[in-house]
Amino acid sequence: MTDPGRGTAAPQRAPEGGSGGHGDRIAAARRTGLLVTLVLGGLTALPPLSMDMYLPALPEVTDALHRPAATVQLTLTACLLGMALGQLVVGPMSDKWGRRRPLLTGMVIYVLATAVCALAPTAELLIGFRLVQGLAGAAGIVIARAVVRDLYDGDAMARFFSTLMLISGVAPVVAPLIGGQVLRLTDWRGVFVVLTAVGLLLTVVVWRGLGETLPPGRRQAGGLRETLRAMGGLLGDRVFAGYMLSGGFAFAALFAYISASPFVIQDIYGASPQTFSLLFGVNSVGLVIVGQINGKVLVGRVSLDKALAVGLAVVTLASVALLLMASGVFGKAGLVPVAAGLFVLMSAMGLAMPNTNAQALMRSRDAAGSASALLGTSTFALGAVASPLVGIAGEGTAVPMATVQVVCAVAAVVSFLALCRPWRR
């Protein structure tokens, strides 16, 4: 393991027993940084695209498939759970076989599963193939992070993650807008048709534009036992576990909003799908802007831990404010103050998410795929647990959403302080 350090891109070691020109290929990948950034940004954008484009259609799906909202929300949970479990498998595979093969295989399966979702006649079949879609789509998430770890280190890695947030952050902005417009032209199945086309295009771009970044000499030769040993070593690292849980709980607070907001904004406050999409897009712009402030201004001037602490504190305060408004402490809150609270919460993720990823991945170099898998699995698993809880009291109140957000935000702060102990490092 490596100590979290500062600096620019880490020098790459010559592959041990591998092809001698791999270091040159790494350097070439950095020189073509725009292309690599766009490809990796597309891979990290695919999950929010898959989730958020579908959000305006949730009320319509409940009517079309004659199922209650709680059942239809399981289509989100299934996709999220698939992304969690898929990363746990694909990450170690990429440490053993390199990044390209597992990535391309996952992308092809994603395209096929998404096409089946567009044809699903029942909610049960839709839930099942959303699970497969998530399992396959996990390849892009976990391998994108591993590729960043292959190429960068220290502050340079934190900056790159913030840059990726600019690319991937466009997805939450445009996805609900696209979904809302698709619903004006066709029904909810058209959303999955569009996602199928996007997945196919991204598969071709990855095949043509992303080379291998893990040399044979740095690949893990062991089987399941070696993989479990590597993951056990990472989980045994108290600081790694602290960053992993901090990021996971913060994302769960965010996903509570993602899962509940279509019903909160449209059913409780009477907004149209297009208004909901606009509000969701504005919130995503806030996340992108704060992420760029983190990468362009704060990194190198403020320690990653301090920026992370501020992000978690703001998430917690915004969650508490939302709970007070939903509970009627300030009287009957309208759409504007609730939307403002959600904007602050989502924007603060621009400080929390890139810094937890960078700090955690700096704890491991030679098992970046496994480390990325653990980060992704914990994040999406906690989000999958949070999703059904937001509807536990029905569709007529936002209290469950805000309660879940407060609990998750406090858990993120406790994990950071108790396990990472930044003041001691």
Side-chain angles (χ1 to χ4, degrees):
M1 293 187 181
T2 60
D3 292 330
R6 289 184 172 271
T8 56
Q12 299 293 321
R13 299 178 302 189
E16 303 162 10
S19 57
H22 192 83
D24 294 335
R25 290 195 297 273
I26 293 289
R30 288 184 185 153
R31 285 194 298 269
T32 57
L34 177 60
L35 177 60
V36 173
T37 301
L38 292 175
V39 173
L40 297 182
L43 292 174
T44 54
L46 192 59
L49 199 64
S50 301
M51 305 293 290
D52 300 341
M53 190 184 298
Y54 174 65
L55 291 179
L58 282 176
E60 181 180 320
V61 176
T62 62
D63 296 334
L65 298 182
H66 309 292
R67 290 292 187 272
T71 300
V72 173
Q73 281 178 324
L74 289 177
T75 61
L76 293 175
T77 302
C79 186
L80 199 64
L81 186 60
M83 290 178 184
L85 297 177
Q87 291 182 72
L88 204 57
V89 174
V90 177
M93 286 173 58
S94 74
D95 282 338
K96 183 176 181 179
W97 293 321
R99 312 303 186 199
R100 271 180 62 86
R101 276 197 294 170
L103 176 57
L104 288 171
T105 300
M107 292 301 300
V108 170
I109 297 174
Y110 172 89
V111 170
L112 296 176
T114 306
V116 174
C117 287
L119 304 173
T122 65
E124 291 73 19
L125 191 63
L126 180 60
I127 291 170
F129 274 91
R130 285 284 277 176
L131 177 65
V132 177
Q133 184 191 43
L135 288 167
I141 313 168
V142 67
I143 292 178
R145 277 195 301 263
V147 168
V148 174
R149 186 65 186 94
D150 292 340
L151 297 178
Y152 297 97
D153 199 359
D155 285 350
M157 181 163 55
R159 290 191 186 96
F160 198 92
F161 275 125
S162 293
T163 302
L164 283 187
M165 187 164 282
L166 174 62
I167 306 297
S168 62
V170 172
V173 175
V174 302
L177 298 174
I178 295 173
Q181 296 307 311
V182 170
L183 293 177
R184 295 171 70 97
L185 302 175
T186 180
D187 61 7
W188 63 271
R189 298 181 187 277
V191 173
F192 288 106
V193 172
V194 174
L195 285 173
T196 301
V198 170
L200 184 60
L201 175 62
L202 186 56
T203 302
V204 174
V205 172
V206 169
W207 177 57
R208 296 290 300 273
L210 184 64
E212 182 59 65
T213 60
L214 185 67
R218 283 181 50 203
R219 296 178 188 176
Q220 302 292 319
L224 178 61
R225 180 177 298 179
E226 188 64 30
T227 296
L228 294 176
R229 182 178 299 150
M231 288 188 170
L234 290 167
L235 293 174
D237 178 359
R238 171 179 51 80
V239 179
F240 175 89
Y243 288 122
M244 179 185 73
L245 291 175
S246 297
F249 280 118
F251 181 82
L254 174 62
F255 198 77
Y257 156 66
I258 293 174
S259 181
S261 59
F263 301 99
V264 170
I265 301 300
Q266 295 181 72
D267 292 345
I268 297 178
Y269 292 98
S272 67
Q274 288 71 37
T275 300
F276 162 73
S277 300
L278 178 62
L279 290 175
F280 197 92
V282 169
N283 292 345
S284 299
V285 169
L287 184 149
V288 170
I289 291 174
V290 174
Q292 293 314 292
I293 292 174
N294 177 73
K296 306 297 184 183
V297 178
L298 300 181
V299 172
R301 295 181 176 87
V302 178
S303 74
L304 301 185
D305 281 330
K306 287 182 180 179
L308 173 56
V310 171
L312 294 179
V314 173
V315 169
T316 304
L317 292 174
S319 300
V320 171
L322 286 167
L323 180 57
L324 293 176
M325 285 188 284
S327 302
V329 172
F330 304 125
K332 186 176 181 180
L335 178 59
V336 173
V338 171
L342 293 172
F343 173 81
V344 172
L345 183 146
M346 195 163 180
S347 298
M349 294 295 169
L351 291 176
M353 300 310 297
N355 291 323
T356 52
N357 283 335
Q359 291 285 64
L361 285 173
M362 279 191 281
R363 306 292 298 183
S364 175
R365 178 181 182 83
D366 293 327
S370 296
S372 178
L374 289 173
L375 287 173
T377 298
S378 62
T379 296
F380 284 95
L382 290 170
V385 171
S387 175
L389 295 179
V390 299
I392 200 169
E395 305 168 33
T397 175
V399 171
M401 176 192 75
T403 301
V404 171
Q405 289 173 329
V406 170
V407 171
C408 291
V410 171
V413 171
V414 171
S415 298
F416 176 61
L417 296 178
L419 298 177
C420 299
R421 304 175 189 174
W423 61 87
R424 295 188 178 180
R425 291 184 291 116

Coordinates of all heavy atoms in Angstrom, one line a residue, residues 315-355:
V315 N -23.5 18.4 3.7 CA -24.5 17.4 3.4 C -25.4 17.1 4.7 O -26.6 17.0 4.6 CB -23.9 16.1 3.0 CG1 -24.9 14.9 3.0 CG2 -23.3 16.2 1.6
T316 N -24.7 17.1 5.8 CA -25.5 16.8 7.1 C -26.4 18.0 7.4 O -27.6 17.8 7.8 CB -24.5 16.6 8.2 OG1 -23.6 15.5 7.9 CG2 -25.2 16.3 9.5
L317 N -25.9 19.2 7.3 CA -26.8 20.4 7.6 C -28.0 20.5 6.6 O -29.1 20.8 7.1 CB -25.9 21.6 7.5 CG -24.9 21.8 8.6 CD1 -24.0 23.0 8.4 CD2 -25.5 21.9 10.0
A318 N -27.7 20.2 5.4 CA -28.8 20.2 4.4 C -29.9 19.2 4.7 O -31.1 19.4 4.6 CB -28.3 20.1 3.0
S319 N -29.4 18.0 5.1 CA -30.3 16.9 5.4 C -31.2 17.2 6.6 O -32.4 17.0 6.6 CB -29.5 15.6 5.7 OG -28.8 15.2 4.6
V320 N -30.6 17.8 7.6 CA -31.4 18.2 8.8 C -32.4 19.3 8.4 O -33.6 19.2 8.9 CB -30.4 18.7 9.9 CG1 -31.2 19.3 11.1 CG2 -29.5 17.6 10.4
A321 N -32.0 20.2 7.6 CA -32.9 21.3 7.2 C -34.1 20.7 6.4 O -35.3 21.1 6.6 CB -32.2 22.3 6.3
L322 N -33.8 19.7 5.6 CA -34.9 19.1 4.8 C -35.9 18.3 5.7 O -37.1 18.3 5.5 CB -34.3 18.2 3.8 CG -33.7 18.8 2.5 CD1 -32.9 17.8 1.7 CD2 -34.8 19.4 1.6
L323 N -35.3 17.7 6.7 CA -36.2 16.9 7.7 C -37.1 17.9 8.5 O -38.3 17.6 8.7 CB -35.3 16.1 8.6 CG -36.1 15.3 9.7 CD1 -37.0 14.3 9.0 CD2 -35.1 14.5 10.6
L324 N -36.5 19.0 8.9 CA -37.3 20.0 9.6 C -38.4 20.6 8.7 O -39.6 20.7 9.2 CB -36.4 21.1 10.1 CG -35.4 20.8 11.2 CD1 -34.5 22.0 11.5 CD2 -36.1 20.2 12.4
M325 N -38.1 20.8 7.5 CA -39.2 21.3 6.5 C -40.2 20.3 6.3 O -41.4 20.6 6.3 CB -38.5 21.8 5.2 CG -37.8 23.1 5.3 SD -37.2 23.8 3.7 CE -35.8 22.7 3.4
A326 N -39.8 19.0 6.0 CA -40.8 18.0 5.8 C -41.6 17.7 7.0 O -42.8 17.2 6.8 CB -40.0 16.7 5.3
S327 N -41.1 17.9 8.2 CA -41.9 17.6 9.4 C -42.8 18.7 9.7 O -43.6 18.6 10.7 CB -40.9 17.3 10.6 OG -40.0 16.3 10.3
G328 N -42.7 19.8 9.0 CA -43.6 21.0 9.3 C -43.2 21.9 10.4 O -44.0 22.7 11.0
V329 N -41.9 21.8 10.8 CA -41.4 22.6 11.9 C -41.5 24.1 11.6 O -41.8 24.9 12.4 CB -40.0 22.2 12.3 CG1 -39.4 23.2 13.3 CG2 -39.9 20.8 12.8
F330 N -41.3 24.4 10.3 CA -41.3 25.8 9.8 C -42.7 26.1 9.2 O -42.8 27.0 8.4 CB -40.2 26.1 8.8 CG -38.8 25.8 9.3 CD1 -38.0 24.9 8.7 CD2 -38.4 26.3 10.5 CE1 -36.7 24.6 9.1 CE2 -37.1 26.1 11.0 CZ -36.3 25.2 10.3
G331 N -43.7 25.3 9.5 CA -45.0 25.4 8.8 C -44.9 24.6 7.5 O -44.0 23.8 7.2
K332 N -45.9 24.8 6.6 CA -46.0 24.1 5.4 C -45.0 24.7 4.4 O -45.1 25.8 3.9 CB -47.4 24.2 4.8 CG -47.5 23.3 3.6 CD -49.0 23.3 3.1 CE -49.1 22.4 1.8 NZ -50.5 22.4 1.3
A333 N -43.9 23.9 4.1 CA -42.9 24.4 3.2 C -43.3 24.2 1.8 O -43.9 23.2 1.4 CB -41.6 23.6 3.5
G334 N -43.0 25.2 0.9 CA -43.3 25.1 -0.5 C -42.2 24.4 -1.3 O -41.2 23.9 -0.7
L335 N -42.4 24.4 -2.6 CA -41.4 23.7 -3.4 C -40.1 24.4 -3.4 O -39.0 23.8 -3.4 CB -42.0 23.6 -4.9 CG -41.1 23.0 -5.9 CD1 -40.7 21.6 -5.5 CD2 -41.7 23.0 -7.3
V336 N -40.1 25.8 -3.4 CA -38.9 26.5 -3.5 C -37.9 26.2 -2.4 O -36.7 25.9 -2.6 CB -39.1 28.0 -3.6 CG1 -37.8 28.8 -3.5 CG2 -39.9 28.3 -4.9
P337 N -38.3 26.3 -1.1 CA -37.3 26.0 0.0 C -36.8 24.5 0.0 O -35.7 24.2 0.3 CB -38.0 26.3 1.3 CG -39.5 26.3 0.9 CD -39.5 26.8 -0.5
V338 N -37.7 23.6 -0.3 CA -37.3 22.2 -0.4 C -36.3 22.0 -1.6 O -35.3 21.3 -1.4 CB -38.6 21.3 -0.6 CG1 -38.2 19.9 -0.9 CG2 -39.5 21.3 0.6
A339 N -36.6 22.6 -2.7 CA -35.7 22.5 -3.8 C -34.3 23.1 -3.5 O -33.3 22.6 -3.9 CB -36.3 23.2 -5.1
A340 N -34.3 24.2 -2.7 CA -33.1 24.8 -2.3 C -32.3 23.9 -1.4 O -31.0 23.8 -1.6 CB -33.3 26.1 -1.6
G341 N -32.9 23.2 -0.5 CA -32.2 22.3 0.4 C -31.7 21.1 -0.4 O -30.5 20.7 -0.1
L342 N -32.4 20.6 -1.4 CA -31.9 19.5 -2.2 C -30.7 20.0 -3.0 O -29.8 19.2 -3.3 CB -33.0 19.0 -3.1 CG -34.1 18.3 -2.3 CD1 -35.3 17.9 -3.3 CD2 -33.6 17.0 -1.7
F343 N -30.8 21.2 -3.5 CA -29.7 21.8 -4.3 C -28.4 21.8 -3.5 O -27.3 21.4 -3.9 CB -30.0 23.2 -4.8 CG -28.9 23.9 -5.5 CD1 -28.6 23.6 -6.8 CD2 -28.1 24.8 -4.8 CE1 -27.6 24.3 -7.5 CE2 -27.1 25.5 -5.4 CZ -26.8 25.2 -6.8
V344 N -28.5 22.3 -2.2 CA -27.3 22.4 -1.4 C -26.7 21.0 -1.1 O -25.5 20.7 -1.2 CB -27.6 23.1 -0.1 CG1 -26.4 23.0 0.9 CG2 -28.0 24.6 -0.3
L345 N -27.6 20.0 -0.8 CA -27.2 18.7 -0.5 C -26.4 18.1 -1.7 O -25.4 17.5 -1.5 CB -28.4 17.8 -0.1 CG -28.1 16.4 0.3 CD1 -29.1 15.9 1.4 CD2 -28.2 15.4 -0.9
M346 N -27.0 18.2 -2.9 CA -26.4 17.6 -4.0 C -25.1 18.3 -4.4 O -24.2 17.6 -4.9 CB -27.4 17.6 -5.2 CG -27.0 16.6 -6.4 SD -28.4 16.3 -7.4 CE -27.7 15.2 -8.6
S347 N -25.1 19.6 -4.3 CA -23.9 20.3 -4.6 C -22.7 19.9 -3.8 O -21.5 19.8 -4.2 CB -24.1 21.8 -4.5 OG -25.1 22.3 -5.4
A348 N -22.9 19.7 -2.5 CA -21.9 19.3 -1.6 C -21.2 17.9 -1.9 O -20.1 17.7 -1.5 CB -22.4 19.2 -0.1
M349 N -21.9 17.1 -2.7 CA -21.4 15.9 -3.1 C -20.1 16.1 -4.0 O -19.3 15.2 -4.2 CB -22.4 15.0 -3.9 CG -23.5 14.6 -3.1 SD -23.0 13.4 -1.8 CE -24.5 13.3 -0.8
G350 N -20.0 17.3 -4.6 CA -18.9 17.6 -5.4 C -17.6 17.7 -4.6 O -16.5 17.6 -5.2
L351 N -17.7 17.9 -3.3 CA -16.6 17.8 -2.4 C -16.4 16.4 -1.8 O -15.3 16.0 -1.6 CB -16.7 18.8 -1.2 CG -16.6 20.3 -1.6 CD1 -16.9 21.1 -0.3 CD2 -15.3 20.7 -2.2
A352 N -17.5 15.7 -1.5 CA -17.4 14.5 -0.9 C -16.9 13.3 -1.8 O -16.0 12.6 -1.4 CB -18.8 14.1 -0.3
M353 N -17.5 13.2 -2.9 CA -17.3 12.0 -3.7 C -15.9 11.9 -4.3 O -15.2 10.9 -4.2 CB -18.3 11.8 -4.8 CG -19.8 11.7 -4.3 SD -20.0 10.5 -3.0 CE -19.6 9.0 -3.8
P354 N -15.4 12.9 -5.0 CA -14.0 12.8 -5.6 C -12.9 12.6 -4.6 O -11.9 11.9 -4.8 CB -13.8 14.1 -6.4 CG -14.8 15.0 -5.9 CD -15.9 14.2 -5.4
N355 N -13.1 13.2 -3.4 CA -12.0 13.1 -2.4 C -12.0 11.8 -1.7 O -11.0 11.3 -1.3 CB -12.2 14.3 -1.4 CG -11.8 15.6 -2.1 OD1 -10.9 15.7 -2.9 ND2 -12.5 16.7 -1.8

